[in-house]
Amino acid sequence: MKPLGSYSWFKKAMNKYWYPFVTRRWDQDDVVFLNYGYEEDPPMGIPLTASDEPNRYWIQLYHSTATQVDLEGGHINVTDVG
């Protein structure tokens, strides 16, 4: 059985209804990331400032993704679409 999140109708419904519903109810300052988080076993242990610590799992997702390729040298452009 496929996970619910793999169905395109579910993704469309989440994008159209859930995200706007949730973000209207949060203070703008509270919404820093609106995506899934990531952790490894053993934990990644990325050093973060105290102010970034509440967002650790979301920052680790970006870190894990961005470290898969060499982004040095300016030959790759990265865009986060959300």
Side-chain angles (χ1 to χ4, degrees):
M1 178 178 230
K2 289 171 53 173
L4 186 60
S6 65
Y7 292 99
S8 63
W9 62 265
F10 180 78
K11 291 177 184 178
K12 289 178 185 175
M14 291 294 286
N15 289 334
K16 186 172 183 179
Y17 300 108
W18 179 248
Y19 292 131
F21 172 80
V22 169
T23 56
R24 278 194 305 267
R25 280 150 183 79
W26 286 336
D27 292 332
Q28 286 294 90
D29 295 337
D30 290 342
V31 181
V32 178
F33 296 97
L34 191 56
N35 59 14
Y36 295 102
Y38 180 77
E39 180 61 281
E40 294 178 348
D41 186 22
M44 294 177 79
I46 299 170
L48 299 176
T49 64
S51 62
D52 284 336
E53 197 60 44
N55 298 305
R56 170 170 289 283
Y57 294 109
W58 297 276
I59 292 169
Q60 289 178 165
L61 176 64
Y62 279 94
H63 176 80
S64 176
T65 303
T67 57
Q68 298 300 310
V69 296
D70 180 15
L71 298 175
E72 302 275 336
H75 61 279
I76 296 177
N77 294 320
V78 177
T79 303
D80 179 17
V81 178

